[in-house]
Amino acid sequence: MTSPGSSPTTSPIPPVVPAGRLRDSEQPTLALSTDAELRPWRPADAQVLVAACQDPDIVHWNRPARVSPDGARDKIAHWHRRWHDEQAALWAVAGAGGGAAVGLAGIADMDLRGGSAEFLYWLLPAGRGRGLAVSATVRISRWAIHELGLHRLRLSHSVANPASCRVAEKAGFRLEGTMRSALLHADGWHDEHLHARIAGDDWPDPA
């Protein structure tokens, strides 16, 4: 403890990721395959967000608020600020070469000092059935651990959403347990599975 008026004691544990690593860099584009990539969101993607907030599956499992095109552009600008504020790293899942966005993937609730973040993703119907959720999760995880330097990534989903459970398992996120009554959906409180990956875990074999 410090006495009144004294300066706080510096923690003997250094930050896992030094502050400034995101703030001082531009968000990269990450290749997924010959026909898909992860790229930063841009204002022209606003209509994609409008559509996502009206898709029944995305609304049910992710609970996004409906937005207008102007509201979507504001949200995209906010995501860019969150990168430079070192709070989140969110990508558009899109066609290669700057193609149309069909989903979102990234990490939020970022704690650089503690070395952790939470994974999130969704795909519009045009992006489903192609393995993009798994490949995006693996690619961003590799970036977050090997390039950014985080130690632990967590991923949670409703136990009533087996599709997300399969994505987590295929991407190498181990099931750690069930969080009881953890998230309120439109149809009531849901138990949630908690998956996680830590630095040093094996990576899944390429598809």
Side-chain angles (χ1 to χ4, degrees):
M1 295 179 63
T2 58
S3 60
S6 65
S7 300
T9 302
T10 302
S11 171
I13 303 174
V16 176
V17 178
R21 189 164 290 178
L22 286 185
R23 184 179 61 243
D24 297 338
S25 66
E26 293 301 317
Q27 185 174 4
T29 295
L30 307 174
L32 288 181
S33 64
T34 56
D35 62 351
E37 67 184 17
L38 296 159
R39 60 163 174 78
W41 285 86
R42 54 199 187 196
D45 297 320
Q47 197 57 47
V48 175
L49 288 187
V50 173
C53 294
Q54 298 173 351
D55 179 83
D57 287 334
I58 293 174
V59 170
H60 184 67
W61 300 120
N62 297 273
R63 311 179 310 159
R66 293 203 172 200
V67 293
S68 65
D70 284 343
R73 283 186 283 272
D74 289 343
K75 181 172 284 192
I76 290 167
H78 177 65
W79 289 344
H80 285 279
R81 290 194 298 271
R82 291 186 76 193
W83 170 279
H84 290 289
D85 290 342
E86 303 190 307
Q87 297 175 345
L90 303 175
W91 280 267
V93 183
V102 294
L104 173 148
I107 50 177
D109 195 18
M110 197 181 294
D111 176 9
L112 296 186
R113 172 169 283 278
S116 70
E118 182 168 13
F119 219 95
L120 61 157
Y121 54 80
W122 52 256
L123 290 173
L124 286 164
R128 296 171 192 164
R130 299 159 50 190
L132 289 176
V134 174
S135 58
T137 301
V138 172
R139 182 63 186 89
I140 294 172
S141 298
R142 286 184 179 275
W143 171 85
I145 291 174
H146 294 317
E147 298 179 46
L148 180 58
L150 295 179
H151 178 74
R152 175 180 167 87
L153 302 174
R154 63 188 183 276
L155 188 161
S156 61
H157 63 83
S158 168
V159 298
N161 186 358
S164 274
C165 202
R166 288 192 294 271
V167 169
E169 291 173 345
K170 288 181 179 179
F173 279 66
R174 299 183 189 178
L175 179 62
E176 293 189 338
T178 300
M179 301 181 292
R180 297 179 301 150
S181 198
L183 193 63
L184 180 62
H185 288 262
D187 57 353
W189 289 96
H190 284 225
D191 292 352
E192 295 244 316
H193 278 164
L194 173 64
H195 301 257
R197 156 181 291 288
I198 62 173
D201 281 351
D202 292 335
W203 296 98
D205 293 330

